[in-house]
Amino acid sequence: MATSKGKSKKHSGWREFGEDNSIATEKATPDLPPEKQNIRVQSTRAGRKGKTVTVITGFQSKTETLQALLKKLKNQCGSGGTLKENEIEIQGDHKQKILEILKQLGYKAKISGG
């Protein structure tokens, strides 16, 4: 049997912006200079099976900038780390060392939490 009166099986519903609107729904990431960003540094163990991780949040930079900063921090701390959703995680408790490095780079950074 043929489809009924010209209805296509590909039709997935009404879309206001056409077929591909992924560009319109992307979140724009502002690339602010370091002195205009409020960075928070804290150590946590939550959800990491008891392992301490230093989490750095509050970045408003592009991914490329954060990747370069991550590499520098990992090198200075001598440990591993990752970038997750504009947050940098460094393995171990390196709050003071990371705070000093960020301030040298011009970031407005503070230690957050206990």
Side-chain angles (χ1 to χ4, degrees):
M1 278 184 135
T3 58
S4 61
K5 295 190 180 183
K7 288 194 176 184
S8 170
K9 290 184 179 182
K10 290 183 179 179
H11 185 65
S12 63
W14 179 76
R15 288 190 173 181
E16 184 175 357
F17 297 108
E19 289 300 314
D20 184 26
N21 64 351
S22 60
I23 295 171
T25 58
E26 278 185 14
K27 193 176 195 181
T29 306
D31 198 16
L32 294 177
E35 62 274 0
K36 293 195 177 193
Q37 297 184 40
N38 293 315
I39 307 301
R40 300 284 184 247
V41 181
Q42 70 180 38
S43 293
T44 182
R45 291 188 207 177
R48 292 173 178 86
K49 298 181 183 176
K51 306 281 183 172
T52 303
V53 175
T54 304
V55 181
I56 310 153
T57 60
F59 289 107
Q60 295 180 0
S61 300
K62 294 183 180 176
T63 306
E64 298 83 27
T65 308
L66 293 179
Q67 287 288 353
L69 180 60
L70 171 65
K71 185 174 181 178
K72 181 176 277 192
L73 291 174
K74 287 182 352 181
N75 195 355
Q76 293 287 322
C77 294
S79 63
T82 187
L83 177 65
K84 292 183 181 176
E85 300 173 3
N86 280 356
E87 292 183 354
I88 292 178
E89 294 182 2
I90 303 291
Q91 295 173 354
D93 187 3
H94 301 283
K95 288 187 295 193
Q96 292 297 327
K97 189 174 217 173
I98 289 174
L99 182 67
E100 291 173 17
I101 294 168
L102 289 173
K103 285 191 176 189
Q104 287 175 359
L105 293 173
Y107 288 94
K108 290 186 341 186
K110 290 182 181 179
I111 292 183
S112 173

